[in-house]
Amino acid sequence: MIQHGYFHWNELMTRDTEKMKAFYAATVGWTFEGMDMGGGQTYWIARAGGEPVAGLFPMAGPDFEGVEEHWMPYLAVDGVDAVLEKAKGSGAEVLRAPFDVPGIGRIAILREPGGAKIGWMTPANPA
């Protein structure tokens, strides 16, 4: 059970998923499983010991122009929409309004008052 306030997921935002898959496979032994994102893009789930540990997100298109490759952490929160309202009231800026990823959960991206970007998510209930 994912608990409110705990880090839930990490995602590598990269322009070269094949290069990074090879790097993490060679260095830490991760294996990868692809998920179709549509539009010819594949999201890669990294696994350690068969368990999902991270994702590799392909940064493609004009939305990512000038954005450096980076790791994006996601914090689990109960009811992302309501918690996001609290965050805005406490000085956060919403960079991407809440959206649903089927089977994964509801996600929002924000910049906290110190300037760091972070994803907050309400994980989907396991089947």
Side-chain angles (χ1 to χ4, degrees):
M1 183 88 176
I2 302 304
Q3 294 183 4
H4 177 84
Y6 283 70
F7 282 98
H8 175 63
W9 192 245
N10 286 293
E11 189 170 77
L12 177 59
M13 310 288 283
T14 180
R15 287 184 175 73
D16 191 340
T17 55
E18 292 304 312
K19 179 179 180 180
M20 298 318 300
K21 283 170 40 186
F23 172 78
Y24 283 102
T27 58
V28 296
W30 284 354
T31 59
F32 296 89
E33 177 183 335
M35 288 177 47
D36 183 11
M37 292 175 49
Q41 297 291 326
T42 302
Y43 183 87
W44 293 96
I45 303 292
R47 295 183 176 275
E51 296 295 320
V53 294
L56 274 64
F57 182 94
M59 291 194 310
D63 289 345
F64 296 102
E65 194 170 304
V67 177
E68 290 185 23
E69 293 194 15
H70 62 280
W71 278 96
M72 177 70 144
Y74 291 85
L75 191 66
V77 296
D78 295 335
V80 71
D81 294 82
V83 178
L84 195 59
E85 288 304 312
K86 289 180 183 179
K88 290 188 321 191
S90 294
E93 173 189 0
V94 177
L95 301 177
R96 184 156 182 207
F99 60 97
D100 295 307
V101 178
I104 302 299
R106 187 157 176 79
I107 300 171
I109 309 296
L110 61 121
R111 183 185 326 269
E112 47 94 58
K117 294 178 188 174
I118 189 167
W120 282 5
M121 70 184 298
T122 301
N125 292 329

